[in-house]
Structures are given as C-alpha cells and as structure tokens.
Amino acid sequence: MTFSPRKLYFLLRTCYALQSPNYLSSLRFPTPVFFSCSSSAADNASLQGPFIVDNLINSVGISPERAIKASGSLFYLQSPSKPDAVRQFFMDSGFSDIQIKNIISKSSRVLLADVDTILKPRMEALKEFDFSESDVIRLVSRKPTFLFCSDAQLKRINFWREILQSKDIVLNALLRGNRIIFTVPERNIMPKIQFLRSYGISQDQIAYMFRINPTFVTRKLDTIRRLVKRVEELRFLCGSRAFCVALISISQMSRATMDSKLTVFRTMGCSEADISLAILKCPQLLMRSAKNLKNTMDFLVKNAGFETSYVMERPLFLTCSLENRLIPRYHLLQFLKSKDLLKNGLSLFTITLFSEKKLMEKLIVPYQEEMPELRQIYASAFAGKFAM
C-alpha cells in the first residue's frame, strides 16, 4: 500500500499516537518521500491532521487504515467539536455504537454535516414516509447516503409506495440499494411497468417481482424485453405467477448458466418435454444451481432408488435442501420401515413437504412409546450421523 505525502504524515502521526511503530512494516512508502507542501500548509496540517485520525480511532473505533483514508475528506475540520456533535446526535437518536461506526466508516463526510440543517431534517423527512424510528435507523445505518439525498430524490419514495403498495417492500428495496431513488420514475420506470402490464402482469405480481429482485425494473427496457422473450420460449402462461417467478429467475442468470441447469436433466435421460413440464410445474427449479440440482438428482435416483421420471413428475423434490431435509428424512423413513413402525404408507415425497412441526406429529410422537430414542435418532440424522 502506497501513501501520498499528506497521508504518510497522518500515518506516521497515527503510529506515534498508537505507539505501534511495527505497524509500518506491512506498508510500502514512496522512495524518496518528498513533502512538497509549503511550511504554512505543513503547520496547518500539524494542527488539524492529528486530531482527526485520533478522533476516528479513539472515539469512533475505526481501524488506523480506515481512519487515515477517511481523514483525507475531513482535512479542513478545525476542531473535534463538529464530529463530536454528529456522534452525539446519532447516540441521542437511538443509534448503537456499532451502527455509528458503520455510518462513519461508509461515509466519513457525515462528520462534516451540520446537525440542525442537514442530519436532523433528513432523519425527520424519512419518518414522513411512514417509516418507524427503527426503520429509519436501519436505513441510515445501512445506507448513509440517504442523509444527503435531495428533497426531490426522497419524494420518489412516494412513487414506489404507490407502485408497490407496501411500505415494507419499499423499505427492503431501499435497504438493498439506493438506486431506485436516483432513477427518474416517469422516464426510466413507468415504460417498463407498462410493458410488463401489457403481458398481463398485475400490480401485485410486479410488487412480488420487485420484492425478490428490486433492481429488475431499473434495467434497460430492451433487456427486459429479451428476458420476457426467453420466458415465453419456456411456454409459461403470460401473466401467471409462474411466469413472474421464471422471469425473475432468468433475470439473474445468463443463458449459458440456464443451459447448464437444463443439461443436468438431459444427462439423467430426461426428454425436453419432461424438462419443460417440470419447469412449468415448478419454476423455482430455475433458482437452484446446476451443482445443487445434480447432487439432489443423484441422491434421489442412486441412493433413494427413485426413477428419474418419478422425480421429474414431482419437481418440488428438487427445491428441497439435500442436507437439511431430504437426507435426514430419508434415513428417518428407512429406520421406521426397518422396525415395521410405519403403518400409514407415507412416502418420502410426502414427508419432505412436511413442516418440522408436522413431521414430529406424524413420525416421531406416535412412536414415542415403542421407540423413545426416536427423536434423538432423527436429530443424529439431521446432524449427518446416519448410524441407525
């Protein structure tokens, strides 16, 4: 890591303050080092620089490297009074020490902001969108840039509330990225929403897709057109929920990635018709990785002994976790069969879809008297220990 003369000065001063000269051994310095600043500028730096780095390290808890990096944008601070006022404001507003540290680490310029004219009004403005105090704290902690948005940008939150019809969906989107309020809705968003509606996709379905992938409608219209075309090729009914699931799934992968998933089924002897039908029944298949699909198919066919056609007729099988659901429930079922305890003819597919609560009610509790250790046996299977 190479530092400019000014950053080098901060580094040397920081190491002195921390009494950690050995910290220098991991860093590379320009050779030779020339300080080209004037003596008055150097005097100014000696008055201003050290307290900034020390303040960030000792008061905020930022690492020396981050403190040195952040100090560049805080060079003109005259005293610690403004940073202290900012930190105090966040503490009074309910932010934890860790949240304050995260905010300053992500956006050190917040320490230059005036509490009364910038921070406090922005915090209040965010609450006006029906966000609770805890919502605002989460939002600012994750994305401090919201403290510096213009009024016009913040008002775009109202547009998304109207489109998505849910404060929670909008909040989740904002937490995952601030891109949606930096996009002009009338010019960049509405044409895409109108295009999706032309395919019979309802407002609720658009909200659903947005919840899964908030950046979907921020893509170029031509890109969305191509994605819709790919979903049509899979013969999904336009406007159906399955169409929306497939559209979001395909939007997150390249055509090559999708082909690799389909190849898993082809190598297992599945016909194109079988593959299409399975995806139409369960578009969530497209969200699974090729490796995951292969491992699950291998287990169900080679270990559990099912025919490939049986699995493809029940594609939900392939959406279940192999380690946390399929394998432990398969071993539990095999154990019950070996002890002739299973009287109701339940199949692996049926019990795979059970919740944990229902599994206990159907397969553990009824046999508790005959096999009191059954609960522990299932726990062992869940932990990957199959010695039954």
Side-chain angles (χ1 to χ4, degrees):
M1 184 182 301
T2 303
F3 293 101
S4 65
R6 188 176 72 179
K7 292 291 181 68
L8 178 59
Y9 166 76
F10 287 148
L11 175 63
L12 293 170
R13 176 62 181 82
T14 301
C15 292
Y16 173 78
L18 294 175
Q19 296 183 346
S20 303
N22 291 335
Y23 178 68
L24 297 174
S25 62
S26 63
L27 305 171
R28 293 183 292 108
F29 302 99
T31 305
V33 177
F34 295 104
F35 291 89
S36 59
C37 55
S38 67
S39 86
S40 61
D43 291 341
N44 191 41
S46 67
L47 291 174
Q48 297 174 12
F51 94 80
I52 299 172
V53 178
D54 291 349
N55 185 279
L56 291 171
I57 295 171
N58 300 322
S59 299
V60 181
I62 294 177
S63 69
E65 280 188 316
R66 280 185 174 272
I68 294 166
K69 183 177 180 180
S71 66
S73 60
L74 305 174
F75 188 71
Y76 296 103
L77 280 173
Q78 299 294 324
S79 74
S81 59
K82 180 165 280 190
D84 289 346
V86 169
R87 287 175 49 249
Q88 189 61 50
F89 167 73
F90 284 130
M91 286 190 286
D92 293 342
S93 299
F95 290 80
S96 68
D97 290 342
I98 292 177
Q99 288 171 328
I100 295 171
K101 176 182 174 180
N102 287 340
I103 291 171
I104 297 172
S105 295
K106 291 176 181 178
S107 179
S108 58
R109 65 173 176 151
V110 75
L111 296 176
L112 296 170
D114 186 82
V115 170
D116 293 322
T117 61
I118 297 179
L119 301 183
K120 193 177 294 183
R122 278 292 168 268
M123 291 280 288
E124 292 303 317
L126 287 169
K127 292 177 185 177
E128 290 175 5
F129 296 103
D130 200 27
F131 293 139
S132 67
E133 189 169 307
S134 61
D135 290 338
V136 173
I137 289 174
R138 286 176 63 207
L139 188 58
V140 172
S141 300
R142 190 87 62 87
K143 304 290 178 182
T145 50
F146 282 106
L147 293 172
F148 303 101
C149 290
S150 67
D151 291 337
Q153 288 168 337
L154 287 182
K155 286 178 181 177
R156 289 170 189 162
I157 294 175
N158 284 326
F159 167 83
W160 290 106
R161 284 288 301 275
E162 184 177 340
I163 292 294
L164 302 175
Q165 303 175 343
S166 168
K167 178 203 76 171
D168 292 334
I169 295 176
V170 175
L171 178 63
N172 180 61
L174 294 174
L175 287 169
R176 293 173 66 176
N178 51 20
R179 187 175 175 182
I180 63 172
I181 65 167
F182 293 130
T183 301
V184 180
E186 295 76 14
R187 184 174 69 240
N188 298 322
I189 302 300
M190 283 308 299
K192 300 161 192 174
I193 290 177
Q194 290 166 357
F195 171 74
L196 292 172
R197 286 175 177 166
S198 72
Y199 274 80
I201 298 175
S202 68
Q203 192 85 356
D204 289 343
Q205 290 169 331
I206 291 173
Y208 164 78
M209 291 194 296
F210 195 87
R211 185 171 68 250
I212 302 300
N213 183 4
T215 64
F216 176 72
V217 292
T218 63
R219 296 186 177 198
K220 293 180 179 179
L221 181 56
D222 286 345
T223 300
I224 293 178
R225 285 196 179 106
R226 287 196 297 271
L227 292 170
V228 168
K229 185 68 176 175
R230 286 173 60 188
V231 175
E232 284 187 297
E233 291 171 2
L234 293 172
R235 299 188 301 168
F236 283 96
L237 179 65
C238 291
S240 66
R241 183 178 178 84
F243 186 97
C244 298
V245 173
L247 182 57
I248 289 299
S249 301
I250 288 176
S251 73
Q252 300 178 77
M253 71 182 82
S254 66
R255 186 177 288 273
T257 299
M258 182 175 168
D259 287 343
S260 70
K261 298 179 183 185
L262 301 183
T263 299
V264 170
F265 300 121
R266 293 178 184 129
T267 56
M268 297 292 291
C270 301
S271 68
E272 296 300 316
D274 290 338
I275 296 170
S276 295
L277 185 58
I279 294 174
L280 285 171
K281 282 184 179 180
C282 184
Q284 292 90 338
L285 281 181
L286 297 173
M287 295 183 180
R288 311 296 284 182
S289 69
K291 181 180 179 181
N292 182 284
L293 290 172
K294 183 181 185 309
N295 290 342
T296 304
M297 282 291 289
D298 283 345
F299 172 78
L300 291 172
V301 174
K302 297 176 182 178
N303 294 77
F306 294 115
E307 295 291 333
T308 301
S309 58
Y310 179 90
V311 176
M312 295 301 285
E313 288 169 4
R314 297 161 180 79
L316 275 175
F317 245 148
L318 300 171
T319 65
C320 296
S321 168
L322 185 60
E323 293 79 12
N324 296 331
R325 187 166 287 249
L326 285 175
I327 291 176
R329 296 186 183 202
Y330 167 76
H331 283 281
L332 175 64
L333 193 64
Q334 291 301 105
F335 177 79
L336 290 171
K337 287 180 178 179
S338 70
K339 299 297 182 182
D340 198 27
L341 292 176
L342 197 63
K343 309 295 184 184
N344 50 15
L346 291 173
S347 68
L348 177 61
F349 179 68
T350 300
I351 70 168
T352 295
L353 302 183
F354 284 171
S355 65
E356 282 295 319
K357 180 180 178 182
K358 188 171 182 180
L359 184 77
M360 290 293 170
E361 292 174 353
K362 294 286 186 179
L363 294 180
I364 303 294
V365 174
Y367 310 111
Q368 199 85 37
E369 291 185 8
E370 299 167 86
M371 189 66 62
E373 68 273 26
L374 192 57
R375 190 184 297 267
Q376 182 57 46
I377 288 173
Y378 174 63
S380 296
F382 198 86
K385 303 172 183 177
F386 309 128
M388 295 186 177

